[in-house]
Amino acid sequence: MDNVQNELLSFAKGMARFALVLVIGVIIVRLLLIPIKKALSRSKGEHTAKTFLFSILRVMLYGVVAVTALGTAGVDITSIIAALGAAALAAGLAFQDTLKNFVSGMIILFNKPFAAGDLVQIGTYEGYVDSIRIFYTQIHTFDNRTVQIPNSKLTSDALVNCSELGTRRVDLVFSVSYDDNLTKVKSVVYGVIAQIPEIMDDPEPKVLISKHLDSGVEIKALVWTKQEDYYTVFFRMQEDVKNAFDENGITIPYPHVKVVSD
């Protein structure tokens, strides 16, 4: 009878310790979650990703409280921790790519290499970032396609952010005949540049002789513009320089193939 009473008393004490630790732990977790939630809400990034991260942190903190409470109640938590570790390992192996994308998404969220609305180049794709999500980033290409790129690819491969600095240099290459006067050629190209309002005066545009080719001389024009005007300047320069060359009798050479017969 005494043994039964002792076991009941021990059980009651264990339950009391369990309840006490559980209540105190829950209060502490709730207090910790308040500044964490505020910090996440102030950070830039996709709302879905921030909500998901907050949910994971909350589950982990409450899990620590539950395991600690069980330990103070006299429960052997070693087997519980081992089981949880094995389950986590199995889940990690099964969802390896998914976890990589999630971790990469968190890195993007906090490092902010780009933001929604930025123009980026990723591999063969170029377009504006629509959204940064938990497992992938979606961009909107110039030909009106949406591309979903895994976040792990964005943190492991080269990524070009064309919007971060606000301006871009437009590099244009033209070729003229060896018979053309290069001083006149450069003057004509500078004249075209002066007629395009989107081209900036500072940094100063430059027209340079870049190469001596087999069939002519290569001219390179380097001009600066706002990021959003890049393609406007690029395509207008191509057209206007060709028309200016025609008006001024400047020849654009093309390769010639000489066939020798026996």
Side-chain angles (χ1 to χ4, degrees), residues 114 120-126 137 139 149 153-154 158-160:
F114 58 86
V120 296
Q121 294 176 350
I122 305 165
T124 58
Y125 299 107
E126 181 175 1
T137 293
I139 68 170
I149 302 173
K153 184 175 179 63
L154 303 181
L159 180 145
V160 180

Side-chain angles (χ1 to χ4, degrees), residues 138-202:
Q138 181 171 294
I139 68 170
H140 189 181
T141 63
F142 294 121
D143 57 351
N144 203 31
R145 293 180 296 166
T146 57
V147 183
Q148 295 178 352
I149 302 173
N151 286 331
S152 59
K153 184 175 179 63
L154 303 181
T155 55
S156 60
D157 293 348
L159 180 145
V160 180
N161 188 335
C162 303
S163 298
E164 186 172 5
L165 300 180
T167 59
R168 291 182 69 181
R169 193 181 75 184
V170 187
D171 295 1
L172 301 122
V173 177
F174 310 101
S175 59
V176 298
S177 169
Y178 279 109
D179 296 330
D180 291 313
N181 185 297
L182 294 182
T183 301
K184 179 182 178 181
V185 170
K186 292 174 67 175
S187 177
V188 169
V189 177
Y190 274 121
V192 172
I193 291 171
Q195 298 301 315
I196 301 177
E198 290 84 2
I199 294 178
M200 302 168 63
D201 295 327
D202 186 19

Side-chain angles (χ1 to χ4, degrees), residues 43-162:
S43 65
K44 294 181 180 180
E46 178 69 24
H47 175 71
T48 305
K50 292 189 288 186
T51 303
F52 187 72
L53 178 60
F54 181 76
S55 299
I56 288 180
L57 289 173
R58 182 171 57 184
V59 170
M60 290 176 62
L61 290 172
Y62 280 129
V64 171
V65 170
V67 172
T68 304
L70 288 171
T72 58
V75 177
D76 184 9
I77 62 174
T78 305
S79 57
I80 297 176
I81 294 175
L84 290 174
L89 179 61
L93 293 174
F95 299 99
Q96 185 176 4
D97 291 339
T98 301
L99 289 174
K100 284 170 59 179
N101 289 328
F102 170 73
V103 172
S104 297
M106 295 301 102
I107 293 173
I108 293 170
L109 173 64
F110 289 105
N111 286 345
K112 307 182 190 70
F114 58 86
D118 283 355
L119 176 64
V120 296
Q121 294 176 350
I122 305 165
T124 58
Y125 299 107
E126 181 175 1
Y128 290 94
V129 177
D130 275 343
S131 59
I132 305 167
R133 305 192 180 184
I134 299 172
F135 302 114
Y136 63 88
T137 293
Q138 181 171 294
I139 68 170
H140 189 181
T141 63
F142 294 121
D143 57 351
N144 203 31
R145 293 180 296 166
T146 57
V147 183
Q148 295 178 352
I149 302 173
N151 286 331
S152 59
K153 184 175 179 63
L154 303 181
T155 55
S156 60
D157 293 348
L159 180 145
V160 180
N161 188 335
C162 303

